[in-house]
Amino acid sequence: MKKQLTGIRGDSPLQSAIRAGNLELVLEIISENRDEELKELLSKKNNSAETALYVAAENGYLDIVKELIRYHDIGLASFKARNGFDAFHIAAKNGHLEILKVLVEAIPEISMTVDLSNTTALHTAAAQGHIHVVNFLLEKGSSLITIAKSNGKTVLHSAARNGHMEVIKALLSREPEIAKRIDKKGQTALHMAVKGQNLELVDELVKPNPSLANMVDAKGNTALHIAARKGRLQVVQKLLQYREIDTDVINKSGETALDTAVKNGRSDVINFLQDHGAQSAKSIKSSTTNTALELKRTVSDIKSGVHNQLEHTFKTQRRMQGIAKRINKMHAEGLNNAINSNTLVAVLIATVAFAAIFNIPGQYPEKSEKLAPKMSPGEARIAPDIGFMIFIIFDSTALFISLAVVVVQTSVVVIERKAKKQMMAVINKLMWVACVLISVAFLAMSYIIVGDHKELAIAATALGTVIMAATLGTLCYWVIAHRLEAFRLRSLRTTMSSRQSMSMSMTMMSGSENEYKTVYAI
């Protein structure tokens, strides 16, 4: 029979040993496998996509879990079975507290894993009523309580729907405001609770905030509408004990709670509501009453809308922060690329300037008797020429500026972005100067090389002057324009700093538009 079940499940020998609770056999199998083989064995899944750790956690074998978790990381431990649960979720569902403690101690981040519907282990434990597991998870990760499933239901919704009183108390004591959270149908945990018959649970949800009793869902139904439709007489009686309860709220189908009870044939609820003055939608005739009800509904809708808007704003801010981080990363990469390019260009200019000095055009006198007056052996014939003097001065200056840039770039490490930009601005200007100097040196030497054909040197001078002037002029324009725009936006942010947070967010976004332009000059 055991072999038959193993075949149906598709268990590996290790999974079969775990399912049988045979610790000795588990240890033996583990000892026979090392490193990659063991990792492959632990990641192997059966027909239900269950791993060895999952099987041990599901069946509550604490000693086996302690042994297996030694060989797991977060990736392997969070493998999900076909039902969407990983080992941590299934242990929470079955109430295996000690196993959860072992898993969290070994891999703390495993408590934050979710299934395909964004259900946390806290949701799973709360739905099953495992109060000891719920308390443990709340202590380990307080943020778990705020995570909603993909349908918008919080852990309080799950506990309320299944009538787990102790879990409700624990959740509300930790986060009272969670009672106001709504799912995608617009329903609160109270809407869930009135579908059952636990009066103490309903009382626990309403007492701290009686206005919950009048909150409407997406269809305009209050908790009283739902209790009336379900025929929960005792729940209806409990709700009407609160002074704040409004029995005459009309939903989007044009029904009050009394109309809903009549529509569904709940005679005992109908009689009780009528005895306590509840009216049908048709009998509500007074314009004053209608205005007051409309005002209440409007206020309720506004509260619900504000809550939804706040949640949307929070999510939007988180997305904005993510975008800002990515842009910051791109900005840092751009600065680093510019720094690397400057280093390369500085080395290139230094190389050219150095080589130019030792490759002087013209000849050297071969015999001492051919020396010109005041010349020494080894001196180039063009040395006294004014063009050569200009060349040697400008070329040397370009050489040493480039070498200085190389020394700074290879010696100074700047971490903070603002300081890095300032250093880049200085280095850029030095490289501009070096480029101009090497250009002048080239033009000065061209007048010597061409000899009597000065028109060629003049043409080269005109061409070089136009190109360099246009390039540097454009760059100067970009620098000035960028700084003026930055100054304008800083002034704008200062002006808007005292306004509401939403306005500030928009100002920050507009400010970022200039700071993170795709192209700008430093």
Side-chain angles (χ1 to χ4, degrees):
M1 182 64 180
K2 182 177 177 181
K3 290 183 178 179
Q4 182 181 0
L5 290 174
T6 300
I8 293 173
R9 292 193 181 98
D11 285 343
S12 66
L14 177 60
Q15 290 169 327
S16 298
I18 294 171
R19 204 177 293 280
N22 193 334
L23 178 58
E24 292 182 2
L25 182 55
V26 170
L27 293 174
E28 181 181 343
I29 295 174
I30 290 176
S31 65
E32 293 173 353
N33 295 271
R34 286 289 181 267
D35 301 331
E36 293 301 322
E37 292 180 358
L38 180 58
K39 185 175 181 181
E40 182 179 354
L41 182 62
L42 293 174
S43 62
K44 186 174 182 180
K45 299 181 179 181
N46 61 15
N47 294 339
S48 298
E50 300 167 347
T51 63
L53 182 62
Y54 180 99
V55 174
E58 180 183 29
N59 290 278
Y61 295 136
L62 179 60
D63 292 337
I64 297 178
V65 170
K66 287 181 178 179
E67 181 63 28
L68 294 178
I69 197 61
R70 294 167 51 201
Y71 309 102
H72 284 70
D73 55 18
I74 182 60
L76 184 56
S78 58
F79 275 8
K80 291 178 173 53
R82 205 176 302 281
N83 58 12
F85 288 172
D86 57 27
F88 193 79
H89 277 74
I90 196 65
K93 179 181 179 182
N94 293 342
H96 299 319
L97 177 59
E98 295 304 318
I99 289 179
L100 293 174
K101 290 180 179 178
V102 170
L103 294 174
V104 170
E105 183 179 358
I107 309 174
E109 58 267 33
I110 198 173
S111 64
M112 300 299 293
T113 58
V114 295
D115 67 7
L116 297 178
S117 61
N118 207 49
T119 303
T120 64
L122 181 61
H123 280 97
T124 306
Q128 299 298 319
H130 297 313
I131 182 61
H132 53 296
V133 174
V134 169
N135 287 330
F136 170 73
L137 292 175
L138 289 176
E139 291 174 2
K140 291 297 179 181
S142 58
S143 61
L144 281 172
I145 197 173
T146 62
I147 298 176
K149 297 165 66 173
S150 54
N151 59 8
K153 294 189 185 298
T154 65
V155 62
L156 191 67
H157 284 85
S158 302
R161 184 66 184 91
N162 292 280
H164 299 308
M165 183 64 192
E166 293 302 318
V167 175
I168 293 291
K169 289 182 177 179
L171 295 173
L172 289 177
S173 65
R174 184 62 65 97
E175 184 64 43
E177 292 300 312
I178 197 174
K180 298 179 182 179
R181 292 276 297 274
I182 59 174
D183 60 15
K184 289 189 176 180
K185 293 181 179 180
Q187 296 186 337
T188 64
L190 181 61
H191 286 92
M192 300 286 102
V194 297
K195 296 176 182 179
Q197 301 185 32
N198 192 327
L199 302 182
E200 188 182 359
L201 191 151
V202 172
D203 196 44
E204 187 71 23
L205 288 169
V206 178
K207 264 188 177 180
N209 191 356
S211 64
L212 285 176
N214 294 324
M215 284 188 68
V216 296
D217 61 15
K219 294 182 179 180
N221 292 316
T222 64
L224 187 61
H225 280 87
I226 294 176
R229 186 177 75 240
K230 294 284 186 178
R232 309 296 191 215
L233 177 59
Q234 291 181 325
V235 175
V236 171
Q237 292 171 341
K238 171 61 70 173
L239 290 173
L240 263 64
Q241 290 177 6
Y242 299 100
R243 293 181 180 179
E244 293 82 2
I245 193 74
D246 186 353
T247 59
D248 296 331
V249 174
I250 301 174
N251 64 17
K252 293 184 179 180
S253 298
E255 301 172 352
T256 63
L258 179 60
D259 295 323
T260 300
V262 171
K263 181 178 178 180
N264 290 274
R266 309 298 186 182
S267 57
D268 49 352
V269 176
I270 294 171
N271 294 331
F272 182 80
L273 287 173
Q274 288 177 335
D275 291 342
H276 286 76
Q279 303 179 70
S280 65
K282 293 181 180 179
S283 63
I284 301 175
K285 299 178 181 179
S286 171
S287 59
T288 303
T289 303
N290 283 337
T291 302
L293 290 174
E294 184 64 29
L295 179 60
K296 287 183 179 180
R297 285 197 295 271
T298 302
V299 171
S300 179
D301 289 343
I302 291 173
K303 287 182 178 179
S304 178
V306 168
H307 176 76
N308 291 336
Q309 184 61 39
L310 287 174
E311 283 194 343
H312 177 72
T313 301
F314 177 72
K315 292 178 181 178
T316 302
Q317 288 175 346
R318 291 187 65 180
R319 286 196 293 269
M320 287 169 57
Q321 290 172 357
I323 293 171
K325 286 181 180 179
R326 289 194 294 270
I327 293 177
N328 277 331
K329 183 179 179 181
M330 293 170 60
H331 187 78
E333 289 176 352
L335 277 176
N336 290 334
N337 289 338
I339 290 173
N340 293 336
S341 298
N342 267 340
T343 305
L344 181 62
V345 172
V347 171
L348 180 61
I349 292 177
T351 303
V352 171
F354 183 84
I357 294 177
F358 294 99
N359 288 275
I360 300 172
Q363 299 178 348
Y364 296 88
E366 297 178 357
K367 297 180 181 179
S368 57
E369 54 270 16
K370 294 183 179 182
L371 289 173
K374 297 183 179 181
M375 285 188 65
S376 61
E379 181 179 351
R381 290 178 176 176
I382 61 172
D385 195 291
I386 186 64
F388 179 77
M389 295 180 183
I390 295 173
F391 163 77
I392 199 71
I393 293 172
F394 281 73
D395 188 75
S396 300
T397 307
L399 169 65
F400 292 117
I401 288 176
S402 301
L403 290 176
V405 170
V406 172
V407 171
V408 172
Q409 294 281 55
T410 56
S411 303
V412 179
V413 177
V414 183
I415 303 300
E416 202 270 325
R417 190 180 68 186
K418 185 176 180 181
K420 187 178 289 187
K421 286 178 66 176
Q422 291 173 345
M423 187 182 79
M424 270 296 302
V426 174
I427 290 174
N428 272 355
K429 304 310 178 295
L430 290 175
M431 294 312 301
W432 292 7
V433 172
C435 288
V436 171
L437 292 175
I438 202 72
S439 299
V440 173
F442 171 82
L443 293 174
M445 188 55 72
S446 69
Y447 279 89
I448 298 173
I449 297 300
V450 298
D452 296 332
H453 301 284
K454 300 297 183 183
E455 64 276 6
L456 296 177
I458 294 172
T461 302
L463 181 62
T465 301
V466 170
I467 293 175
M468 292 301 293
T471 302
L472 295 178
T474 302
L475 288 175
C476 289
Y477 170 77
W478 280 2
V479 170
I480 295 171
H482 173 69
R483 292 190 177 181
L484 289 176
E485 182 69 10
F487 176 77
R488 183 185 69 81
L489 288 169
R490 279 198 300 271
S491 301
L492 180 61
R493 282 198 294 269
T494 302
T495 304
M496 299 292 286
S497 61
S498 60
R499 298 191 178 181
Q500 295 179 351
S501 59
M502 191 174 297
S503 298
M504 289 177 66
S505 298
M506 295 186 67
T507 304
M508 289 170 65
M509 286 296 288
S510 64
S512 299
E513 183 180 349
N514 178 73
E515 187 176 1
Y516 300 116
K517 284 183 176 179
T518 56
V519 177
Y520 63 89
I522 298 178

